[in-house]
Amino acid sequence: MVYVSEAHPAGTKATRGQKISLVDQHKTLEDKIEAARMLIELDSEHQTFTDDVNSKSNVPILVDDMEKTFQQAYSVMPDRIVVFENNHLVYLGNLVNQQITKGLLMTDELRGWLEQRFAKK
């Protein structure tokens, strides 16, 4: 997973006036790294994410640079899943705005792709 930026930073209101994030917009790369670490801590019960880029059992969280190189290269905002395997792009999901398209999650399309890709033959 690549953490690119805070979509709804603290102090701003998201769609329909809901307050979503407690994280301020990042001013430095260190701010972004700290936000990514917070995601790992928030997920500690499920242990999905890790900061270990060599992990084989957890999803590593990487952090985009302050110039938003990854975000711009793959047009990942508002929501898009991109999967790399062995340093090659193997899946580029459709752009999804989960706040506008109710009931549609960016993981729905990915789930179908994973099931098809790893189906036992």
Side-chain angles (χ1 to χ4, degrees):
M1 178 175 140
V2 179
Y3 183 85
V4 292
S5 63
E6 196 62 30
H8 305 286
T12 63
K13 297 220 177 195
T15 306
R16 296 178 300 280
Q18 297 172 334
K19 186 175 183 178
I20 294 177
S21 179
L22 301 175
V23 177
D24 291 326
Q25 194 56 268
H26 316 296
K27 293 183 175 88
T28 66
L29 185 58
E30 290 75 22
D31 290 346
K32 275 190 176 186
I33 292 168
E34 183 56 33
R37 285 190 179 121
M38 287 174 58
L39 290 174
I40 294 169
E41 290 173 21
L42 288 169
D43 181 63
S44 63
E45 179 182 341
H46 303 287
Q47 297 181 350
T48 305
F49 301 116
T50 181
D51 59 1
D52 178 2
V53 296
N54 297 310
S55 177
K56 301 292 183 202
S57 58
N58 301 88
V59 177
I61 294 185
L62 308 174
V63 177
D64 198 5
D65 59 28
M66 293 304 291
E67 291 75 30
K68 302 180 182 181
T69 302
F70 183 87
Q71 180 178 328
Q72 293 172 0
Y74 297 100
S75 302
V76 295
M77 293 297 278
D79 295 311
R80 173 178 259 173
I81 294 179
V82 181
V83 177
F84 290 89
E85 184 175 54
N86 298 322
N87 296 320
H88 296 291
L89 176 67
V90 294
Y91 175 83
L92 182 63
N94 290 315
L95 283 173
V96 175
N97 191 327
Q98 296 177 135
Q99 291 183 334
I100 293 174
T101 312
K102 292 184 179 185
L104 177 64
L105 299 176
M106 61 183 169
T107 53
D108 292 342
E109 183 182 295
L110 175 66
R111 182 177 293 110
W113 178 82
L114 288 169
E115 288 171 351
Q116 191 172 40
R117 179 174 170 97
F118 295 105
K120 293 185 181 186
K121 298 178 183 184

